[in-house]
Amino acid sequence: MSALPCYRWRLAPEGLATRRQLRALGLRPGGQDVAAQIERPRRRRGSLVAYLYRIDHARPVRPMTPGRAAALAKAMTARRTCPNCRCDVGYCIPRSLGMCVPCHDTPLSRKDITS
């Protein structure tokens, strides 16, 4: 039993929203505590839980500054650049592979293995 009010899926009262719903409204939680939670039961695994925040206590999303936009662009470029061939492949490289798909699928030559 938790101290938070718990509601069933799609039965939360008006005035409460999840982070994604707040974001769609152009808002953010703004440091407020979780007001309630929603549980969505599943058959074979544990229930899915989503935390709810009060809309009237939410704050507007901070505007994107030029410095933050530049840092985000640099980070996304780093995620798209293959460490093996140093090419911008145009998509985020899968972390499971660690390199772009063509580099991963290309078999190593004998001189690459020996050196």
Side-chain angles (χ1 to χ4, degrees):
M1 187 95 185
S2 67
L4 289 175
C6 185
Y7 300 103
R8 300 271 307 180
W9 188 251
R10 297 183 188 229
L11 295 177
E14 293 292 323
L16 298 177
T18 62
R19 284 183 177 267
R20 287 188 180 192
Q21 291 169 338
L22 287 176
R23 188 65 164 184
L25 296 172
L27 300 171
R28 61 185 170 97
Q32 65 174 302
D33 292 332
V34 176
Q37 67 182 14
I38 293 179
E39 285 188 357
R40 180 178 183 204
R42 297 191 293 182
R43 290 185 183 178
R44 297 185 184 199
R45 293 181 270 168
S47 298
L48 291 175
V49 176
Y51 297 115
L52 300 172
Y53 300 91
R54 292 182 51 173
I55 294 175
D56 58 344
H57 288 189
R59 295 182 180 163
V61 175
R62 294 183 190 130
M64 183 66 72
T65 63
R68 287 175 61 195
L72 181 61
K74 187 176 178 182
M76 290 306 294
T77 301
R79 288 183 66 189
R80 290 190 314 261
T81 303
C82 176
N84 197 24
C85 64
R86 303 279 186 220
C87 294
D88 186 348
V89 292
Y91 56 88
C92 289
I93 295 172
R95 291 176 60 188
S96 59
L97 300 180
M99 61 185 75
C100 65
V101 176
C103 288
H104 182 264
D105 291 344
T106 305
L108 294 174
S109 63
R110 285 302 292 165
K111 75 175 185 181
D112 290 340
I113 295 173
T114 57
S115 52

